[in-house]
PDB file of all heavy atoms in Angstrom:
ATOM      1  N   ALA A 187      -4.904  13.552   6.275  1.00  0.00           N
ATOM      2  CA  ALA A 187      -6.241  14.056   5.789  1.00  0.00           C
ATOM      3  C   ALA A 187      -7.050  12.921   5.309  1.00  0.00           C
ATOM      4  O   ALA A 187      -8.263  12.868   5.533  1.00  0.00           O
ATOM      5  CB  ALA A 187      -5.989  15.119   4.670  1.00  0.00           C
ATOM      6  N   GLY A 188      -6.472  11.994   4.561  1.00  0.00           N
ATOM      7  CA  GLY A 188      -7.213  10.871   4.042  1.00  0.00           C
ATOM      8  C   GLY A 188      -7.872   9.991   5.101  1.00  0.00           C
ATOM      9  O   GLY A 188      -9.000   9.598   4.987  1.00  0.00           O
ATOM     10  N   CYS A 189      -7.125   9.729   6.157  1.00  0.00           N
ATOM     11  CA  CYS A 189      -7.653   8.898   7.228  1.00  0.00           C
ATOM     12  C   CYS A 189      -8.838   9.605   7.923  1.00  0.00           C
ATOM     13  O   CYS A 189      -9.816   8.981   8.216  1.00  0.00           O
ATOM     14  CB  CYS A 189      -6.564   8.563   8.289  1.00  0.00           C
ATOM     15  SG  CYS A 189      -5.348   7.450   7.704  1.00  0.00           S
ATOM     16  N   LEU A 190      -8.725  10.918   8.134  1.00  0.00           N
ATOM     17  CA  LEU A 190      -9.817  11.649   8.766  1.00  0.00           C
ATOM     18  C   LEU A 190     -11.015  11.661   7.834  1.00  0.00           C
ATOM     19  O   LEU A 190     -12.197  11.579   8.251  1.00  0.00           O
ATOM     20  CB  LEU A 190      -9.400  13.079   9.063  1.00  0.00           C
ATOM     21  CG  LEU A 190      -8.307  13.248  10.124  1.00  0.00           C
ATOM     22  CD1 LEU A 190      -7.884  14.707  10.304  1.00  0.00           C
ATOM     23  CD2 LEU A 190      -8.884  12.711  11.450  1.00  0.00           C
ATOM     24  N   GLN A 191     -10.815  11.740   6.460  1.00  0.00           N
ATOM     25  CA  GLN A 191     -11.882  11.736   5.482  1.00  0.00           C
ATOM     26  C   GLN A 191     -12.589  10.388   5.523  1.00  0.00           C
ATOM     27  O   GLN A 191     -13.824  10.317   5.342  1.00  0.00           O
ATOM     28  CB  GLN A 191     -11.368  12.132   4.180  1.00  0.00           C
ATOM     29  CG  GLN A 191     -10.991  13.638   4.062  1.00  0.00           C
ATOM     30  CD  GLN A 191     -10.024  13.953   3.015  1.00  0.00           C
ATOM     31  OE1 GLN A 191      -9.516  15.081   2.963  1.00  0.00           O
ATOM     32  NE2 GLN A 191      -9.587  12.966   2.167  1.00  0.00           N
ATOM     33  N   VAL A 192     -11.906   9.324   5.721  1.00  0.00           N
ATOM     34  CA  VAL A 192     -12.473   8.001   5.791  1.00  0.00           C
ATOM     35  C   VAL A 192     -13.305   7.934   7.028  1.00  0.00           C
ATOM     36  O   VAL A 192     -14.481   7.424   7.050  1.00  0.00           O
ATOM     37  CB  VAL A 192     -11.398   6.875   5.757  1.00  0.00           C
ATOM     38  CG1 VAL A 192     -12.074   5.524   6.045  1.00  0.00           C
ATOM     39  CG2 VAL A 192     -10.717   6.781   4.415  1.00  0.00           C
ATOM     40  N   CYS A 193     -12.786   8.442   8.161  1.00  0.00           N
ATOM     41  CA  CYS A 193     -13.599   8.461   9.405  1.00  0.00           C
ATOM     42  C   CYS A 193     -14.896   9.192   9.155  1.00  0.00           C
ATOM     43  O   CYS A 193     -15.991   8.736   9.606  1.00  0.00           O
ATOM     44  CB  CYS A 193     -12.851   9.168  10.435  1.00  0.00           C
ATOM     45  SG  CYS A 193     -11.455   8.155  11.195  1.00  0.00           S
ATOM     46  N   THR A 194     -14.842  10.313   8.449  1.00  0.00           N
ATOM     47  CA  THR A 194     -16.031  11.145   8.205  1.00  0.00           C
ATOM     48  C   THR A 194     -17.040  10.308   7.308  1.00  0.00           C
ATOM     49  O   THR A 194     -18.239  10.291   7.554  1.00  0.00           O
ATOM     50  CB  THR A 194     -15.672  12.492   7.510  1.00  0.00           C
ATOM     51  OG1 THR A 194     -14.844  13.180   8.448  1.00  0.00           O
ATOM     52  CG2 THR A 194     -16.944  13.270   7.194  1.00  0.00           C
ATOM     53  N   ALA A 195     -16.498   9.703   6.291  1.00  0.00           N
ATOM     54  CA  ALA A 195     -17.323   8.929   5.337  1.00  0.00           C
ATOM     55  C   ALA A 195     -17.989   7.753   6.048  1.00  0.00           C
ATOM     56  O   ALA A 195     -19.144   7.338   5.637  1.00  0.00           O
ATOM     57  CB  ALA A 195     -16.511   8.388   4.144  1.00  0.00           C
ATOM     58  N   LEU A 196     -17.392   7.176   7.069  1.00  0.00           N
ATOM     59  CA  LEU A 196     -17.954   6.063   7.788  1.00  0.00           C
ATOM     60  C   LEU A 196     -18.902   6.538   8.923  1.00  0.00           C
ATOM     61  O   LEU A 196     -19.478   5.741   9.585  1.00  0.00           O
ATOM     62  CB  LEU A 196     -16.832   5.222   8.386  1.00  0.00           C
ATOM     63  CG  LEU A 196     -15.963   4.487   7.443  1.00  0.00           C
ATOM     64  CD1 LEU A 196     -14.763   3.751   8.188  1.00  0.00           C
ATOM     65  CD2 LEU A 196     -16.752   3.406   6.664  1.00  0.00           C
ATOM     66  N   GLY A 197     -19.105   7.828   9.036  1.00  0.00           N
ATOM     67  CA  GLY A 197     -19.972   8.363  10.090  1.00  0.00           C
ATOM     68  C   GLY A 197     -19.321   8.335  11.434  1.00  0.00           C
ATOM     69  O   GLY A 197     -20.058   8.490  12.439  1.00  0.00           O
ATOM     70  N   MET A 198     -18.024   8.219  11.511  1.00  0.00           N
ATOM     71  CA  MET A 198     -17.335   8.140  12.820  1.00  0.00           C
ATOM     72  C   MET A 198     -16.832   9.501  13.255  1.00  0.00           C
ATOM     73  O   MET A 198     -16.460   9.634  14.417  1.00  0.00           O
ATOM     74  CB  MET A 198     -16.154   7.223  12.713  1.00  0.00           C
ATOM     75  CG  MET A 198     -16.502   5.783  12.490  1.00  0.00           C
ATOM     76  SD  MET A 198     -15.052   4.638  12.386  1.00  0.00           S
ATOM     77  CE  MET A 198     -14.409   4.879  14.023  1.00  0.00           C
ATOM     78  N   TYR A 199     -16.689  10.477  12.377  1.00  0.00           N
ATOM     79  CA  TYR A 199     -16.015  11.724  12.714  1.00  0.00           C
ATOM     80  C   TYR A 199     -16.792  12.916  12.117  1.00  0.00           C
ATOM     81  O   TYR A 199     -17.224  12.832  10.940  1.00  0.00           O
ATOM     82  CB  TYR A 199     -14.584  11.729  12.206  1.00  0.00           C
ATOM     83  CG  TYR A 199     -13.712  12.625  12.980  1.00  0.00           C
ATOM     84  CD1 TYR A 199     -13.439  12.480  14.259  1.00  0.00           C
ATOM     85  CD2 TYR A 199     -13.103  13.801  12.307  1.00  0.00           C
ATOM     86  CE1 TYR A 199     -12.512  13.330  14.975  1.00  0.00           C
ATOM     87  CE2 TYR A 199     -12.257  14.594  13.002  1.00  0.00           C
ATOM     88  CZ  TYR A 199     -11.926  14.323  14.326  1.00  0.00           C
ATOM     89  OH  TYR A 199     -11.062  15.212  14.998  1.00  0.00           O
ATOM     90  N   ALA A 200     -16.893  13.975  12.875  1.00  0.00           N
ATOM     91  CA  ALA A 200     -17.578  15.194  12.370  1.00  0.00           C
ATOM     92  C   ALA A 200     -16.572  16.061  11.638  1.00  0.00           C
ATOM     93  O   ALA A 200     -15.682  16.608  12.193  1.00  0.00           O
ATOM     94  CB  ALA A 200     -18.135  15.963  13.584  1.00  0.00           C
ATOM     95  N   GLY A 201     -16.783  16.138  10.322  1.00  0.00           N
ATOM     96  CA  GLY A 201     -15.879  16.849   9.474  1.00  0.00           C
ATOM     97  C   GLY A 201     -16.476  17.099   8.098  1.00  0.00           C
ATOM     98  O   GLY A 201     -17.471  16.434   7.771  1.00  0.00           O
ATOM     99  N   PRO A 202     -15.892  18.020   7.332  1.00  0.00           N
ATOM    100  CA  PRO A 202     -16.466  18.336   6.030  1.00  0.00           C
ATOM    101  C   PRO A 202     -16.188  17.175   5.053  1.00  0.00           C
ATOM    102  O   PRO A 202     -15.130  16.524   5.154  1.00  0.00           O
ATOM    103  CB  PRO A 202     -15.729  19.617   5.623  1.00  0.00           C
ATOM    104  CG  PRO A 202     -14.497  19.571   6.389  1.00  0.00           C
ATOM    105  CD  PRO A 202     -14.712  18.898   7.670  1.00  0.00           C
ATOM    106  N   ALA A 203     -17.068  17.033   4.100  1.00  0.00           N
ATOM    107  CA  ALA A 203     -16.779  16.004   3.015  1.00  0.00           C
ATOM    108  C   ALA A 203     -15.667  16.610   2.046  1.00  0.00           C
ATOM    109  O   ALA A 203     -15.773  17.800   1.737  1.00  0.00           O
ATOM    110  CB  ALA A 203     -18.059  15.762   2.254  1.00  0.00           C
ATOM    111  N   PRO A 204     -14.764  15.797   1.672  1.00  0.00           N
ATOM    112  CA  PRO A 204     -13.688  16.285   0.790  1.00  0.00           C
ATOM    113  C   PRO A 204     -14.196  16.489  -0.683  1.00  0.00           C
ATOM    114  O   PRO A 204     -15.215  15.898  -1.066  1.00  0.00           O
ATOM    115  CB  PRO A 204     -12.640  15.166   0.853  1.00  0.00           C
ATOM    116  CG  PRO A 204     -13.449  13.956   1.057  1.00  0.00           C
ATOM    117  CD  PRO A 204     -14.600  14.370   1.951  1.00  0.00           C
ATOM    118  N   CYS A 205     -13.466  17.278  -1.392  1.00  0.00           N
ATOM    119  CA  CYS A 205     -13.701  17.288  -2.875  1.00  0.00           C
ATOM    120  C   CYS A 205     -13.223  15.951  -3.469  1.00  0.00           C
ATOM    121  O   CYS A 205     -12.392  15.338  -2.886  1.00  0.00           O
ATOM    122  CB  CYS A 205     -12.934  18.489  -3.526  1.00  0.00           C
ATOM    123  SG  CYS A 205     -13.399  20.093  -2.884  1.00  0.00           S
ATOM    124  N   ASP A 206     -13.776  15.651  -4.590  1.00  0.00           N
ATOM    125  CA  ASP A 206     -13.450  14.385  -5.267  1.00  0.00           C
ATOM    126  C   ASP A 206     -12.155  14.592  -6.095  1.00  0.00           C
ATOM    127  O   ASP A 206     -12.245  15.161  -7.184  1.00  0.00           O
ATOM    128  CB  ASP A 206     -14.612  13.869  -6.069  1.00  0.00           C
ATOM    129  CG  ASP A 206     -14.344  12.478  -6.650  1.00  0.00           C
ATOM    130  OD1 ASP A 206     -13.217  11.950  -6.386  1.00  0.00           O
ATOM    131  OD2 ASP A 206     -15.251  11.906  -7.257  1.00  0.00           O
TER     132      ASP A 206
END
Side-chain angles (χ1 to χ4, degrees):
C189 288
L190 292 175
Q191 287 155 188
V192 172
C193 286
T194 299
L196 292 173
M198 295 180 62
Y199 203 66
C205 299
D206 188 356

